[in-house]
Amino acid sequence: MGASDFANLPHIGESVRRKEDLRFLTGAGQYTDDILMANQKAAVFVRSPHAHARILQVDTASAAGMPGVRRIFTGADLDGKMGGLPCGWLITSTDGTPMKEPPHPVLAIGKVRYVGDQVAMVVADTVQQAKDAAEAIVVQYEELPAVVDMRKAAAGPALHDAAPDNHCYTWAIGDKAAVDAAFASAAHVTRLDLTNNRLVPNAIEPRSAIGMYNRATDETTLYVANQNPHVERLLMTAFVLGLPEHKVRVIAPDVGGGFGSKIFLYAEDVALTWAARQMNCAIKWTAERSESFLTDAHGRDHISHAEMAMDQDGKFLAMRVHTDANMGAYLSTFSTAVPTILYATLLAGQYTTPQVYVEVDAWFTNTAPVDAYRGAGRPEATYLLERLVTRCAWDMGLSQDEIRKRNFITTFPYQTPVALQYDVGDYHACMDQARKLAEVEGFAARKAASEAKGLRRGLGYSSYIEACGIAPSNIAGALGARAGLFECGEIRVHPTGSVTVFTGSHSHGQGHETTFAQVVAARLGIAVEQVDVVHGDTGRVPFGMGTYGSRSISVGGAAIMKALDKIEAKAKKIAAHLLEASDADIEFSGGEFKVKGTDKKIPFAQVALTAYVPHNYPLDKLEPGLNETAFYDPTNFTFPAGTYICEVEVDPATGVVRIDRFSAVDDFGTIINPMIVEGQVHGGLVQGIGQALMENCVYDAETGQLMTGSFMDYAMPRADDVPSFRLGHVCTPCTHNPLGTKGCGEAGAIGSPPAVINAVLDALKDLGVTDLDMPASPARVWAAIQAAKA
């Protein structure tokens, strides 16, 4: 079935209410911390109060004798019994050498490298007893100077022996000579320095895990708030604990948001799993919010210099970029791919820039590890490019929309100079629709009205593109990926015609239990209510890669479609037998099997029953049952794109920025459930606006102490910080997956930050403010205005 045929099926494009919401809204969801096992103990971690220090002694004697304490584990107890936490993507430097990959111990051995680093784990009967004992553990440290600013990392004290200059890699993409030649002959060059601020993920559910061991069967189970249980199991068994994979089961039950921060294998997960095997009991740990701030993998944290070469008409000739990327103290699971493969390859954007050269230096610092956070490299690329393009427009005396339209790609497929090939898109249509939604024609009048009140009004554009569903596995492997990037789907048709779907994708707020059910119901001609979706359990679902990078419907959904193809093919053979016709003469649509050119037909449910009650069935030719599995490895990324327009009002007296309106037009290809997609876009927009205006993770520059370690210091967006969004859609179906879908979960967080900052700068440029880094907080905006006056 082609994508165009699929898009016209019943249930596709319908805003079906989310099936999973009943349990969530009635308090019946089951998160990891809700689970209580027999003989369950509680774990608490002792964490480093220093950013950089040698561990001289860990004295656990007093704590070990306290009430309820069962065991205390330190790095010395684990040393030699397991490997360190692995990095899942190998980056090769420009000189051909592999990246520096220092050991990442589960519990610190000899040294701590950021505030929050795990030093010991206390296991006790209750959480309070474990906390009391943790406070009684005496750790003697020799404090060392900390490296916080990555620009000073090369001259600072070494975090790791394997990286004496704190440098992880230098990576580059593009034709440097061609770029330099284009710059030499350019009519104009625009330059921009910018910082992409560090963020804390702050999922509503903190990380949580329960390790369990059954000595009778030698089976280990880990319940964990995680986005990809099979990957968690693979990394933990193959690289760290050395356990037989079939003897370890990882279950991710309901998960309260992840945004990338729950993709990774964390030290706590491994420590609990190993300790449960040592103690033959269940052990639970749930992070407190302060621990989440300290130890969840952070996002972003780039410092970049970008230049664009143009001809006299504002046509882009070449772009060059240098980025310093902060890795934090250790390499997290996919950290190395974020500022390279997922960032630099997107810097062509929606534009026909003939040449692009990007160089990235990655650094170790005494801060929490940095890894994928909603968008993972794509927001950083879009922020840099769209800030630069708007600056180009102002330098050339062009409007923000005009310079974009002069440089838009219009013919597809399009090969970019940074490796990717876009299959399809319509960027002019997104721009035109966004301008209508934003009522740009009335902006001048609104600006005049604001100025009459002593306020400044600005308009900001952002035309983003992202690459979703990293693919294919063989190319990714050649680029350093240490895992496959396929997905799996199993369709189990029951005798009465109802269906259970088993998917390797994981839902933690995306609505898979509804969207995947719509796909299956549409193909088989049954009610959505007859389809259940199972995910998140390595003991029940086939091996799959989980959910991240907006891949679920395009990769996981495509695997389900391939399994449905097999179901239909076998069902046609059964129907042909029942209808006494040839397989080739059987058609299937609307839940019925029909013989071409006749009125003979039977319903899907009858075929399903026959498959399991084969009294009238060619057992010599067909096996009983109707159950099929398929794997799907994409041939390319999908490329969602769109244009966002933000309109702000700024009070120059206080620096307060108010978003008056925000219009977002996206091209997600075929949309399965518009309501769910709209919710995803809304959430992404709020996160992007949060980064642009208020969120900022800050460490003390000398001590490495986290200064924004709670919601008292780390501002999060609220409902009254955002307007009612105006959304629109353009549809150019993806050409290489059977649904025609593209990713949608990260788009809002990718396109919105530059639109907001461009709008703020547009409002303030008449006051002489030419640059401003995120977040555009009132204090920063006010200071920029005062500096411009001076």
Side-chain angles (χ1 to χ4, degrees):
M1 175 178 288
S4 58
D5 296 326
F6 172 77
N8 293 318
L9 290 175
H11 306 305
I12 303 305
E14 294 180 6
S15 292
V16 176
R17 287 190 177 184
R18 297 195 346 158
K19 298 175 66 177
E20 49 269 69
D21 281 350
L22 177 63
R23 70 175 186 273
F24 294 141
L25 293 173
T26 58
Q30 187 179 58
Y31 300 89
T32 300
D33 193 54
D34 295 327
I35 298 169
L36 179 63
M37 297 295 178
N39 194 30
Q40 179 174 289
K41 309 303 178 187
V44 167
F45 287 86
V46 176
R47 300 186 182 277
S48 170
H50 304 295
H52 198 194
R54 290 190 183 92
I55 301 173
L56 302 180
Q57 184 182 25
V58 182
D59 185 352
T60 63
S62 296
M66 293 179 69
V69 175
R70 299 297 177 175
R71 290 283 294 273
I72 298 175
F73 298 96
T74 68
D77 297 314
L78 277 57
D79 192 17
K81 298 179 176 67
M82 64 181 68
L85 302 182
C87 179
W89 204 295
L90 173 66
I91 295 297
T92 301
S93 285
T94 51
D95 64 1
T97 59
M99 67 187 188
K100 307 295 193 309
E101 195 171 358
H104 186 175
V106 172
L107 295 178
I109 300 172
K111 201 176 184 184
V112 290
R113 294 177 173 87
Y114 69 100
V115 176
D117 210 350
Q118 296 82 216
V119 176
M121 180 177 71
V122 179
V123 182
D125 291 338
T126 69
V127 173
Q128 190 58 54
Q129 289 172 334
K131 283 185 177 182
D132 292 342
E135 290 180 2
I137 293 175
V138 179
V139 185
Q140 293 184 20
Y141 296 99
E142 178 191 344
E143 196 169 355
L144 302 170
V147 178
V148 177
D149 186 342
M150 60 182 148
R151 291 168 293 189
K152 300 177 181 179
L159 275 74
H160 304 277
D161 293 341
D165 57 357
N166 295 317
H167 188 245
C168 183
Y169 59 76
T170 296
W171 179 91
I173 191 171
D175 187 334
K176 186 176 186 300
V179 167
D180 290 345
F183 270 84
S185 62
H188 180 81
V189 174
T190 289
R191 297 177 175 86
L192 184 64
D193 292 293
L194 46 76
T195 298
N196 204 297
N197 46 320
R198 180 184 278 237
L199 302 176
V200 179
N202 285 321
I204 194 169
E205 177 206 20
R207 288 191 292 121
S208 183
I210 306 171
M212 299 171 52
Y213 180 58
N214 185 328
R215 187 171 290 167
T217 61
D218 192 31
E219 292 176 333
T220 305
T221 301
L222 175 68
Y223 285 87
V224 62
N226 182 267
Q227 298 177 216
N228 41 301
H230 276 288
V231 176
E232 171 108 349
R233 182 179 71 168
L234 174 63
L235 293 174
M236 187 165 58
T237 57
F239 294 96
V240 187
L241 296 179
L243 298 173
E245 194 172 357
H246 71 288
K247 288 290 188 178
V248 178
R249 181 179 181 184
V250 175
I251 302 171
D254 289 329
V255 174
F259 313 117
S261 69
K262 293 174 183 171
I263 295 172
F264 322 120
L265 177 63
Y266 284 97
E268 294 89 351
D269 307 348
V270 176
L272 290 167
T273 303
W274 184 81
R277 291 178 60 85
Q278 307 308 304
M279 298 176 63
N280 193 31
C281 66
I283 308 172
K284 179 195 285 186
W285 166 79
T286 298
E288 295 188 347
R289 185 58 66 179
S290 59
E291 287 183 286
S292 297
F293 271 95
L294 287 171
T295 65
D296 286 4
H298 293 171
R300 316 292 190 246
D301 206 350
H302 286 189
I303 298 173
S304 298
H305 175 77
E307 301 178 346
M308 184 74 82
M310 292 172 282
D311 68 13
Q312 66 275 13
D313 297 319
K315 283 284 288 181
F316 301 155
L317 303 176
M319 182 172 73
R320 57 189 174 200
V321 176
H322 180 270
T323 293
D324 288 302
N326 196 341
M327 297 286 98
Y330 301 100
L331 296 182
S332 181
T333 308
F334 293 114
S335 58
T336 51
V338 174
T340 52
I341 307 302
L342 300 178
Y343 164 70
T345 58
L346 270 297
L347 282 169
Q350 298 187 11
Y351 309 113
T352 57
T353 312
Q355 297 292 340
V356 177
Y357 178 75
V358 186
E359 187 174 89
V360 178
D361 282 295
W363 303 94
F364 294 108
T365 65
N366 293 114
T367 61
V370 177
D371 209 317
Y373 171 69
R374 199 168 191 170
R378 283 75 55 85
E380 296 92 318
T382 299
Y383 182 70
L384 181 147
L385 180 59
E386 290 305 295
R387 282 286 313 279
L388 182 62
V389 169
T390 286
R391 176 66 66 83
C392 289
W394 291 337
D395 284 357
M396 299 298 290
L398 297 172
S399 65
Q400 294 182 66
D401 62 312
E402 179 58 31
I403 197 165
R404 286 171 169 82
K405 289 189 284 189
R406 288 188 186 188
N407 289 281
F408 275 158
I409 298 163
T410 56
T411 57
F412 295 89
Y414 180 82
Q415 178 63 53
T416 75
V418 279
L420 300 182
Q421 185 180 83
Y422 306 159
D423 61 328
V424 69
D426 191 341
Y427 308 146
H428 279 281
C430 291
M431 172 67 76
D432 292 344
Q433 191 179 151
R435 283 176 53 82
K436 289 179 182 177
L437 283 176
E439 298 177 332
V440 172
E441 299 305 320
F443 173 72
R446 296 191 295 273
K447 183 176 182 178
S450 294
E451 291 179 351
K453 297 183 291 183
L455 305 175
R456 299 286 173 159
R457 184 173 286 263
L459 203 63
Y461 284 71
S462 171
S463 295
Y464 79 91
I465 189 167
E466 60 165 322
C468 300
I470 306 173
S473 291
N474 58 344
I475 300 299
L479 294 172
R482 290 165 166 168
L485 296 165
F486 56 85
E487 197 47 85
C488 179
E490 178 186 348
I491 305 295
R492 185 177 299 172
V493 180
H494 302 291
T496 56
S498 60
V499 176
T500 300
V501 179
F502 298 87
T503 175
S505 298
H506 184 275
S507 181
H508 39 277
Q510 294 87 346
H512 294 170
E513 293 175 39
T514 303
T515 304
F516 287 169
Q518 286 179 254
V519 170
V520 174
R523 278 293 303 269
L524 299 182
I526 60 179
V528 173
E529 292 73 22
Q530 288 183 272
V531 184
D532 281 339
V533 177
V534 176
H535 61 90
D537 185 346
T538 63
R540 297 186 66 190
V541 303
F543 192 101
M545 300 306 295
T547 292
Y548 47 86
S550 301
R551 73 191 298 269
S552 293
I553 191 63
S554 299
V555 186
I560 289 170
M561 285 285 281
K562 290 189 69 176
L564 286 165
D565 289 341
K566 295 180 180 181
I567 290 288
E568 183 176 325
K570 182 174 181 180
K572 281 183 176 178
K573 295 180 185 294
I574 299 171
H577 177 77
L578 295 175
L579 293 169
E580 299 179 332
S582 166
D583 300 358
D585 291 332
I586 300 298
E587 296 176 332
F588 179 61
S589 65
E592 294 181 325
F593 295 90
K594 305 172 184 175
V595 180
K596 292 178 185 177
T598 74
D599 59 358
K600 296 174 67 176
K601 60 184 180 182
I602 53 174
F604 175 76
Q606 184 177 343
V607 171
L609 183 62
T610 302
Y612 290 95
V613 186
H615 295 163
N616 181 20
Y617 194 93
L619 288 170
D620 58 327
K621 298 178 181 178
L622 284 174
E623 295 177 351
L626 199 51
N627 187 354
E628 298 288 351
T629 300
F631 289 82
Y632 175 73
D633 198 322
T635 57
N636 194 2
F637 293 87
T638 69
F639 296 101
T643 288
Y644 292 174
I645 301 177
C646 177
E647 190 169 326
V648 302
E649 198 173 52
V650 182
D651 185 345
T654 63
V656 171
V657 176
R658 182 181 68 86
I659 298 179
D660 182 62
R661 58 186 68 197
F662 199 108
S663 303
V665 175
D666 300 284
D667 178 1
F668 297 137
T670 302
I671 291 178
I672 309 298
N673 187 311
M675 179 190 69
I676 288 176
V677 169
E678 184 175 314
Q680 289 288 304
V681 173
H682 277 204
L685 291 176
V686 173
Q687 280 186 274
I689 290 169
Q691 177 178 12
L693 294 183
M694 54 194 70
E695 294 187 50
N696 197 26
C697 177
V698 179
Y699 284 88
D700 182 87
E702 298 299 324
T703 66
Q705 293 293 328
L706 181 63
M707 306 297 288
T708 51
S710 76
F711 291 128
M712 293 293 289
D713 306 296
Y714 187 94
M716 296 278 283
R718 302 179 304 183
D720 60 352
D721 292 313
V722 297
S724 179
F725 299 120
R726 304 176 179 195
L727 304 186
H729 296 284
V730 168
C731 181
T732 60
C734 174
T735 61
H736 54 79
N737 74 53
L739 301 95
T741 53
K742 307 175 186 180
C744 75
E746 297 166 299
I750 291 169
S752 55
V756 174
I757 299 300
N758 285 338
V760 173
L761 289 172
D762 186 54
L764 300 180
K765 64 184 180 183
D766 291 342
L767 297 178
V769 178
T770 59
D771 202 6
L772 185 68
D773 275 323
M774 298 185 289
S777 62
R780 283 191 176 195
V781 173
W782 185 87
I785 294 170
Q786 304 314 306
K789 287 180 180 178

